[in-house]
Amino acid sequence: MNNGRATPLINSVCYVRLAVSEPSASARFVSDIFGLQRIADQDGEIAFRSDDRFRTVSLGKNATDSASVGIEVWDDEALKEIGRRLREAGFTANEATAGECRRRYVQLALLAEDASGNRIDLVVRPTRSGRRYFPARDAGIVAFHGVGLRTTDHARDLVFWRALGAEVSDWVGDIAYLRIDGLHHRVALYPSKRSGVLYAAFEVEALDQIMQNSYFMQESQTRIVQGPGREPASHQMFLHVEGPDGLIFSYVNGMAKLDEKPRLARQFPLTSTSLCDWGSESKDVPELGAPV
């Protein structure tokens, strides 16, 4: 409940827009290697589908306006309430122009920034596709699941996300897992020396697809930065792979569901066993690893 509302303010993480230096090479990774469906380009952005939404990933060269995370808001009134909360907390939240909405395939939007400078699009009515999702490579992907974000000011960034109605499910050190629905988390905040999207996560059918994709990545000489593994806090199984420009995309499955009964966020130590109880470690992406 939020101020007497029968529904939460936000519904889902609905897309990620990424700025890359070589869109063509990155596009080949996203479609041919990772397994998303490429769709028609628009306004200089290359778009991809992972489920029934019109697009969940876009690639562009303009770092100023081609990098953001889309959060679906329940309705117009919820959008107004979020804007009020963010401005009262000292954050920037501007109404999107018609052109900015068109590039995002949404009807309305507030364009906001968290304390780290991550651009967050708060959107109403993102476009759905009437066509069946049909990727070039069958990686077993069924839906866009969520994101990991780098944070340079995790205390203020938590203020930002709590203004949207998100809550911390668990901590690993200062890594915060944020829930916005019945699942353990959809957004994870990773302390870092820089801002930006750390990874975009896509749900697959089962563990079998995570293992099959792991073998495929090895055969195609695509870098695996961590996994297969499982997060102890969320029980989510994962495989993080890296493409051009340092893009990290993830296959995930099996995240724990939380009931409606309130509980305190648990604190796990920042150790390798708190990040993965299958023993996988990330040596080259500091945000995904634990200090030695």
Side-chain angles (χ1 to χ4, degrees):
M1 296 286 185
N2 290 286
N3 292 343
R5 290 178 55 85
T7 56
L9 295 175
I10 57 178
N11 177 54
S12 65
V13 183
C14 58
Y15 64 75
V16 61
R17 303 169 66 241
L18 301 168
V20 295
S21 62
E22 296 293 337
S24 296
S26 295
R28 285 193 295 272
F29 164 75
V30 174
S31 61
D32 300 347
I33 301 297
F34 191 77
L36 300 188
Q37 178 187 357
R38 182 168 176 171
I39 59 174
D41 306 348
Q42 180 172 293
D43 295 324
E45 293 186 352
I46 306 172
F48 304 85
R49 293 178 62 201
S50 58
D51 46 54
D52 68 343
R53 282 168 280 204
F54 186 73
R55 73 95 166 84
T56 48
V57 174
S58 293
L59 304 176
K61 289 197 71 168
N62 184 352
T64 302
D65 190 42
S66 295
S68 60
V69 175
I71 304 295
E72 185 175 6
V73 177
W74 275 94
D75 54 28
D76 300 17
E77 291 302 312
L79 192 66
K80 292 177 183 177
E81 173 64 15
I82 287 173
R84 182 189 67 78
R85 291 186 183 190
L86 289 177
R87 294 179 186 112
E88 285 185 355
F91 294 100
T92 300
N94 298 317
E95 292 185 11
T97 65
E100 289 168 333
C101 288
R102 186 184 66 252
R103 283 195 294 276
R104 290 159 175 80
Y105 305 95
V106 301
Q107 298 302 305
L108 293 172
L110 282 178
L111 308 184
E113 284 192 11
D114 65 12
S116 297
N118 294 311
R119 296 182 177 89
I120 310 297
D121 303 342
L122 303 156
V123 305
V124 175
R125 293 161 54 196
T127 302
R128 301 276 170 167
S129 177
R131 295 185 177 181
R132 177 171 166 259
Y133 164 58
F134 193 76
R137 183 179 86 80
D138 184 7
I141 295 169
V142 295
F144 181 40
H145 190 273
V147 293
L149 294 177
R150 295 182 174 94
T151 171
T152 59
D153 187 347
H154 75 274
R156 282 286 291 158
D157 284 344
L158 281 175
V159 173
F160 177 94
W161 284 98
R162 282 172 170 150
L164 308 186
E167 291 294 339
V168 178
S169 293
D170 287 312
W171 299 89
V172 175
D174 284 332
I175 298 171
Y177 296 116
L178 304 180
R179 68 179 181 274
I180 62 177
D181 57 17
L183 292 181
H184 183 271
H185 70 273
R186 294 288 189 177
V187 177
L189 301 181
Y190 292 82
S192 179
K193 295 180 179 179
R194 60 192 176 102
S195 61
V197 174
L198 177 60
Y199 60 78
F202 298 81
E203 185 177 0
V204 293
E205 296 168 3
L207 173 61
D208 284 351
Q209 280 67 45
I210 289 180
M211 300 307 299
Q212 290 166 9
N213 282 304
S214 175
Y215 303 143
F216 177 85
M217 295 302 161
Q218 294 174 51
E219 291 171 358
S220 63
Q221 297 184 328
T222 299
R223 184 166 175 249
I224 297 174
V225 297
Q226 190 180 16
R230 191 181 79 154
E231 296 173 346
S234 71
H235 300 165
Q236 176 177 255
M237 298 170 287
F238 64 85
L239 177 71
H240 300 311
V241 300
E242 185 179 53
D245 278 301
L247 294 181
I248 299 177
F249 278 35
S250 308
Y251 302 104
V252 299
N253 179 264
M255 179 174 286
K257 295 181 179 179
L258 301 183
D259 58 33
E260 296 181 0
K261 183 179 179 181
R263 72 163 176 82
L264 293 175
R266 300 170 297 178
Q267 178 68 61
F268 294 81
L270 185 56
T271 62
S272 58
T273 53
S274 295
L275 295 169
C276 178
D277 59 11
W278 287 2
S280 71
E281 297 184 31
S282 176
K283 301 293 187 182
D284 301 319
V285 181
E287 295 88 353
L288 294 175
V292 179

